Amino acid sequence: MDLSYMALLMPSLIRGLGQTLLLFALTLVFSLPLGLVFTLGSISKVPPLRWLSRIYIWVFRGTPLMLQLFFIYYGLPFLGIAFDRMTSAVVTFVLNYAAYFAEIYRAGIQSIDRGQHEAAKTLGFTRWQTMRLIILPQTVSRVIPPVCNETITLVKDTALVTAIGVGELLKAAEGAVNRDMDITAYILVALIYLALTFVLTVVYERLEKRFSRHQKKEG
């Protein structure tokens, strides 16, 4: 491959990478806590809250992310709600990933032995105190692996926003390939995605080891 041509491509790819990382970061910052909100709603003893949360999770997990992206960017303007491209992408990804994280959290919470709930109740803990002080801390170590997998998937899913014209990494590569009739940009983008997923995998492996050691010490 021509190194001088690769050097010419890098500025536009780096700008695209910046957009990709921005979408990735904003999605995580908002979807991780929002997922917990819907988890608690889905296991709530209040029927309307429980069913609304479960319907939300069902809809966003049961329909394609691309369809959701098109609906929010192209469909909502018909209802008088319009977002720019990047805002549409962030809103879509946050809502979608919150639903997936909600299911991961729910599975983690429900994997905790019910006896701990009963013991906490005997000690006079309220339901919220039991969840906050006993259940959620144990849940964290159990949900790290599936959350990590979803996060790695998120890195790759960011490429979907090229469909609505967001200038992320793949969009930058696509422009270069169409202009120069050369696939070098695609190869560089593939290497960048591989590097991102490698870094995330290393970080999450260390997190998992740290939490597992912490759990063993407590045990």
Side-chain angles (χ1 to χ4, degrees):
M1 287 190 290
D2 187 343
L3 293 180
S4 61
Y5 177 64
M6 292 170 61
L8 288 173
L9 291 174
M10 288 311 296
S12 63
L13 295 184
I14 290 172
R15 285 193 297 273
L17 176 60
Q19 292 289 90
T20 294
L21 293 177
L22 178 62
L23 175 59
F24 173 81
L26 289 175
T27 300
L28 283 188
V29 166
F30 291 107
S31 64
L32 285 170
L34 184 60
L36 181 58
V37 171
F38 282 107
T39 297
L40 297 177
S42 69
I43 60 176
S44 170
K45 291 186 176 181
V46 181
L49 180 59
R50 183 172 65 250
W51 286 110
L52 282 173
S53 298
R54 290 181 180 181
I55 289 170
Y56 166 86
I57 293 168
W58 173 64
V59 168
F60 278 92
R61 292 181 74 240
T63 55
L65 177 55
M66 181 74 82
L67 176 61
Q68 296 163 20
L69 188 63
F70 285 162
F71 179 80
I72 287 176
Y73 183 64
Y74 295 114
L76 287 185
F78 288 101
L79 303 176
I81 305 170
F83 299 119
D84 60 38
R85 288 183 175 87
M86 190 60 177
T87 303
S88 296
V90 172
V91 170
T92 305
F93 273 66
V94 168
L95 293 176
N96 179 274
Y97 272 83
Y100 281 92
F101 288 138
E103 276 297 279
I104 291 171
Y105 298 156
R106 183 193 59 76
I109 288 171
Q110 292 183 340
S111 71
I112 306 297
D113 184 5
R114 288 296 304 175
Q116 297 194 39
H117 291 268
E118 298 302 323
K121 187 176 180 180
T122 301
L123 293 171
F125 283 72
T126 65
R127 180 178 170 83
W128 170 240
Q129 287 174 327
T130 301
M131 186 65 66
R132 181 170 59 89
L133 301 175
I134 298 174
I135 304 303
L136 289 180
Q138 295 180 73
T139 301
V140 170
S141 61
R142 300 191 182 196
V143 302
I144 284 179
V147 166
C148 294
N149 289 336
E150 283 300 321
T151 303
I152 290 171
T153 300
L154 170 59
V155 171
K156 295 177 287 185
D157 277 351
T158 56
L160 293 175
V161 299
T162 190
I164 61 169
V166 176
E168 49 70 66
L169 189 55
L170 185 60
K171 184 71 173 177
E174 185 180 31
V177 171
N178 290 337
R179 181 189 66 234
D180 303 329
M181 301 301 291
D182 188 307
I183 65 167
T184 300
Y186 283 153
I187 296 171
L188 290 175
V189 165
L191 293 174
I192 292 171
Y193 277 120
L194 287 171
L196 289 174
T197 55
F198 174 76
V199 170
L200 286 174
T201 300
V202 171
V203 169
Y204 288 139
E205 283 177 352
R206 292 183 179 179
L207 274 176
E208 192 175 351
K209 287 178 182 177
R210 177 175 295 182
F211 274 98
S212 62
R213 283 199 303 265
H214 180 67
Q215 201 171 33
K216 286 178 182 177
K217 286 179 182 178
E218 288 187 339

